[in-house]
Amino acid sequence: TKEKVELDISGMTCAACSTRIEKSLNRMEGISNASVNLTGETGTVEYNPAVVSIDDMLTKIEKLGYKGSIKQ
Ligand code: 9UX
């Protein structure tokens, strides 16, 4: 199963920030594609919910020093 979630990500100030988050998410088990938009302060993640949870992604983002939430 593959699902897609849209995230709001705040705290990014330069292009290296978005690249950092993108690379970290893409290295996580169960994530098939993560794309982060700096100016839009958003991210799109395609993942396997049997392997990784949205909470896992948000925790990872926080550990990197940013704030993530599910886009409402
Ligand atoms: Mo740019 Mo982002 O120097 O954490 S990488 S501000």
Side-chain angles (χ1 to χ4, degrees), residues 5-12 21 25 36 41-43 45 54-72:
V5 64
E6 307 260 355
L7 304 176
D8 280 318
I9 304 170
S10 61
M12 302 185 288
I21 299 171
L25 292 175
V36 177
E41 297 190 290
T42 53
V45 184
I54 294 173
D55 254 14
D56 294 333
M57 301 171 201
L58 299 180
T59 298
K60 174 69 76 175
I61 291 168
E62 290 205 13
K63 280 185 174 160
L64 290 168
Y66 309 96
K67 179 68 188 170
S69 59
I70 299 173
K71 197 174 183 71
Q72 300 297 318

Side-chain angles (χ1 to χ4, degrees), residues 11-18 20 64 66:
M12 302 185 288
T13 50
C14 87
C17 293
S18 44
R20 275 182 79 210
L64 290 168
Y66 309 96

Side-chain angles (χ1 to χ4, degrees), residues 36-48:
V36 177
N37 185 290
L38 172 66
T39 52
E41 297 190 290
T42 53
T44 302
V45 184
E46 287 172 8
Y47 66 106
N48 181 344

